[in-house]
Amino acid sequence: MSSPHLPLSRRGFLLAGAGAGAAPALTTRPAHATARPFGRYGSPERRRTPRTLYVDPHGRGDFTTVQAAVTAATGSGWTLVLAPGVYRETVAVDTTRTEATWIGAAEDPRAVVIVYDNAAGTPRPGGGTYGTTGSATTTVQADGFTARWITFANDWLRADHPDISGTQAVALKVQGDRSAFHHCRFLGHQDTLYADSTALGVFARQYFARCYVEGDVDFVFGRATAVYEGCHFRTLNRTDLAAAPYGFVFAPSTAAANPNGYLVSRSRISSEAPDAAYKLARPWVPSSDTTARPSLVVRDAYLGAGIDAVAPYTNMSDAFPWQRQRFAEYRNSGPGAVITVPENRPQLTAAEAASHTPAAYLGDWTPWQER
């Protein structure tokens, strides 16, 4: 499970970045703070392997930006070691750059932050807007991607842009098969973590272990086969709304042919919003796939008081009611998991739960064994 100390929220991060002394400091060490910006992972002078590149915004690595290192790392099997710092940029990893590994050298996700501030409605240079996919700070399409101890953030804020209606602002869009994230943070508000695939017929498997995700509207969404194990999801408060619901944690869009969608196991959901202000999930049936049957299983998890226990699910569109989708729970606890209206809380039997495990969802891929 996550540390008992709450991670610094995205809003706290923004406050700290603005220089407010009362905010807890983001662990981004200045250039003079350490003689070993890459920790135990070597350096350009003592390269761990020929396919290891070092990134440091203060100029002590091979590159000062993550995208420059990605561009140089053509082909398969590259490792990027990221020194502490805030990397304000957008990053894209295309399908050809397979089996890549990114490591936050400080082994603390608060120390390495990749952040930008595009939203779906942000005007693009040359005309039009970015759209949801284009808003992503980081996009990973390649198979076999692994990240450790990194924060992926989108710090676009509604309050700063009242003229923009497209408020989706993705921190990470990941589409590749066998994509693993260990001890990472995903900070945003609407559409924070886009766990998806490269095409409708591709069942991309993804694994998130001991990660922290925060947001408000549909902030974990997409059609991937995604396992969230030992993760912490936190719902943000909203001062722009007068009444609940403030938002929705999960919005899967699983293809009907895919037997597995999102699995949330041994995790917890907390909130800075009022009690019962959030729904646990709503199904996303996108216009590009009206045959989708969104799938979500939440098991052995702690659901805090921020989740509406009476009616935790709702519709995104009345044409696709949540009751016809694949939503279920098993052995959850906490005030948000109390069953008061049984028909609103579909439960797995013990026999059914046996087929909803990380191993069952991910098959011959065992990322929890990686070190």
Side-chain angles (χ1 to χ4, degrees):
M1 295 293 290
S2 301
S3 165
H5 299 95
L6 290 179
L8 181 65
S9 74
R10 186 178 66 105
R11 291 175 180 175
F13 159 57
L14 289 170
L15 191 61
L26 187 68
T27 313
T28 49
R29 298 168 179 81
H32 58 76
T34 175
R36 299 181 60 202
F38 305 108
R40 63 189 179 95
Y41 296 98
S43 67
E45 294 74 28
R46 296 187 176 183
R47 205 172 298 274
R48 294 191 89 194
T49 71
R51 297 181 84 80
T52 299
L53 296 175
Y54 296 87
V55 187
D56 175 33
H58 305 294
R60 296 165 295 178
D62 300 305
F63 302 94
T64 58
T65 68
V66 179
Q67 185 59 62
V70 170
T71 300
T74 57
S76 183
W78 286 87
T79 296
L80 270 56
V81 180
L82 278 58
V86 175
Y87 298 86
R88 178 160 286 277
E89 57 178 305
T90 59
V91 185
V93 182
D94 66 34
T95 57
T96 67
R97 289 166 164 78
T98 58
E99 312 303 327
T101 298
W102 294 4
I103 299 171
E107 300 185 14
D108 177 353
R110 294 169 297 179
V112 175
V113 180
I114 304 172
V115 59
Y116 210 71
D117 60 350
N118 284 330
T122 300
R124 295 179 66 106
T129 57
Y130 281 99
T132 300
T133 289
S135 75
T137 297
T138 302
T139 302
V140 178
Q141 295 182 312
D143 292 344
F145 180 85
T146 298
R148 298 178 184 276
W149 303 298
I150 295 171
T151 291
F152 300 88
N154 189 317
D155 60 2
W156 189 91
L157 290 173
R158 297 183 185 94
D160 295 340
H161 304 277
D163 56 318
I164 291 180
S165 59
T167 58
Q168 301 89 341
V170 178
L172 172 74
K173 179 170 185 176
V174 55
Q175 298 174 279
D177 185 39
R178 295 179 293 102
S179 299
F181 298 81
H182 303 266
H183 304 280
C184 289
R185 298 192 309 160
F186 307 92
L187 311 183
H189 62 85
Q190 182 171 352
D191 292 6
T192 304
L193 175 55
Y194 195 170
D196 205 50
S197 69
T198 54
L200 178 60
V202 176
F203 302 159
R205 296 165 297 173
Q206 297 165 11
Y207 180 70
F208 301 82
R210 294 174 175 82
C211 291
Y212 171 83
V213 194
E214 71 177 23
D216 49 40
V217 178
D218 305 330
F219 64 93
V220 182
F221 74 114
R223 66 170 172 241
T225 298
V227 172
Y228 306 89
E229 191 166 35
C231 292
H232 178 189
F233 305 90
R234 185 160 177 83
T235 59
L236 299 174
N237 198 12
R238 296 187 64 175
T239 58
D240 59 318
L241 296 179
Y246 284 10
F248 321 88
V249 182
F250 303 101
S253 57
T254 321
N258 188 352
N260 301 313
Y262 285 2
L263 172 65
V264 180
S265 176
R266 298 188 295 110
S267 296
R268 64 182 171 120
I269 300 175
S270 67
S271 182
E272 65 179 45
D275 290 357
Y278 275 84
K279 303 294 186 181
L280 182 60
R282 62 178 181 170
W284 177 31
V285 179
S287 59
S288 59
D289 179 22
T290 56
T291 66
R293 284 200 65 215
S295 174
L296 168 71
V297 171
V298 180
R299 60 170 300 170
D300 303 296
Y302 178 87
L303 310 184
I307 298 299
D308 180 358
V310 175
Y313 305 105
T314 191
N315 299 335
M316 187 175 294
S317 167
D318 289 341
F320 305 101
W322 72 264
Q323 294 90 341
R324 296 182 188 173
Q325 313 311 322
R326 295 175 285 177
F327 286 1
E329 302 174 52
Y330 183 67
R331 293 194 313 197
N332 294 325
S333 62
V338 174
I339 300 173
T340 57
V341 183
E343 58 266 34
N344 289 346
R345 309 298 299 251
Q347 303 289 310
L348 297 175
T349 66
E352 291 169 335
S355 63
H356 293 279
T357 65
Y361 275 49
L362 302 181
D364 60 358
W365 180 46
T366 56
W368 52 87
Q369 297 179 352
E370 298 175 4
R371 293 292 183 265

